[in-house]
Amino acid sequence: MTRRGWVLFAAMAVIWGIPYLLIKIAVGELTPVTLVFMRTTVGALLLLPIAAMRGGLRPLLPYWRWVLAYTVVEVSLPWFLLSDAERRLSSSLTGLLIAAVPLIGALVTWLTRGDERLDLRRIAGLVVGLVGVGALVGLNVSFRDLGAVGEVALVALGYATGPIIVSRRLPSVPAIGVVAASLVLTAVGYAPLALRQLPTTMPSPRVWVAVAFLAVVCTALAFLLFFALIAEVGPVRATVITYFNPAVALLLGVTLLREPFTLGAVVGFSLILAGSLLATRRASGPAAGAASSASGSSASEEPDTRGPLPRFQG
């Protein structure tokens, strides 16, 4: 990759590992509904004009049902559930659990596509990853917090499903338009509840900083940088940041919030990472060529800022 590509890659690996820390700080004084509303409102105000100037909104109109479906499974529900779960779970553990998204994505893809073959290698990857999730939960979570783990599991399912909706139902629409529209729809949907749940006392400065950084840097700026990363290094290399974000979340939670660094975290994340690589790695040789022809995909890494649409992190 070019030097610019490495800089963008490093920036995204860090930026999308930060939200878990910021959410943990914010939900100490804000309700999950209020936090989601503030984040999406600011993000929408920043991205909507850019999407409009780039002509990314009008092409969405014929596909509004699928844009709405994407919004629900990728933004509206996951961001609320994630914020609610972090009232009981540590930010580092939450980030590590979200690392299971590639595993779930591989499983969902296989279950919903008849031409997707689940070979022995992918089965082994799913099993290894599942063992890793079990290690994370079993060694780090008390029984009373299993409900929060369930919320994070639903978040991971949503994050895995969103890109599939885009790749199959919205392949030709501008990604920045879909992102901006999803933020607007979520902000509008949460506004009635959020305005009634505004804090009665002024939140502390650290909460305001967390919300502002979450909305401006981790949402609006992050997507602009991600689109630049796709254009610079191609969509395949760009998605590799998914494997670095949980490690950043773990590091920040342990160092800044003094969250425990446990053996379960190390073992669990290692197994999830190994399982994800096995389950999502492309086949090689003739089998790969046949699969590529059947799915109409291309091995080329030509820059395309319309795809893949990145999954939201945190």
Side-chain angles (χ1 to χ4, degrees), residues 27 30-40 79-80 83-84 87 186 189-197:
V27 294
L30 300 175
T31 67
V33 169
T34 303
L35 174 58
V36 174
F37 171 71
M38 289 181 174
R39 178 182 182 181
T40 53
W79 285 9
F80 169 79
S83 300
D84 189 58
R87 295 195 293 180
T186 302
Y190 275 88
L193 284 175
L195 294 177
R196 289 201 297 266
Q197 295 182 14

Side-chain angles (χ1 to χ4, degrees), residues 12-21 91-102 136 239-254 259 261 265 268-270 272-273 276 311 313-314:
M12 290 308 308
V14 173
I15 288 175
W16 269 344
I18 295 175
Y20 308 99
L21 169 73
S91 66
S92 53
L93 176 59
T94 303
L96 293 179
L97 288 172
I98 294 296
V101 167
L136 269 179
T239 56
V240 177
I241 62 168
T242 303
Y243 300 112
F244 290 86
N245 303 143
V248 173
L250 174 64
L251 178 64
L252 293 176
V254 170
E259 295 174 348
F261 182 71
F269 178 57
S270 299
I272 290 174
L273 181 59
S276 296
R311 65 173 56 93
Q313 301 294 321

Side-chain angles (χ1 to χ4, degrees), residues 132-239:
V133 173
L136 269 179
V137 175
L139 298 176
N140 294 278
V141 180
S142 63
F143 180 79
R144 66 177 182 275
D145 293 330
L146 288 181
V149 172
E151 288 182 307
V152 178
L154 290 176
V155 172
L157 178 60
Y159 282 175
T161 304
I164 294 175
I165 291 176
V166 171
S167 65
R168 297 182 187 178
R169 303 298 179 180
L170 302 169
S172 60
V173 299
I176 191 170
V178 177
V179 171
S182 66
L183 294 177
V184 171
L185 290 171
T186 302
V188 171
Y190 275 88
L193 284 175
L195 294 177
R196 289 201 297 266
Q197 295 182 14
L198 292 175
T200 55
T201 58
M202 182 65 67
S204 63
R206 72 194 296 253
V207 169
W208 284 117
V209 171
V211 172
F213 200 93
L214 193 61
V216 176
V217 177
C218 298
T219 303
L221 178 61
F223 281 104
L224 295 177
L225 291 178
F226 191 83
F227 297 143
L229 178 63
I230 292 173
E232 185 71 23
V233 306
V236 176
R237 289 194 184 100
T239 56

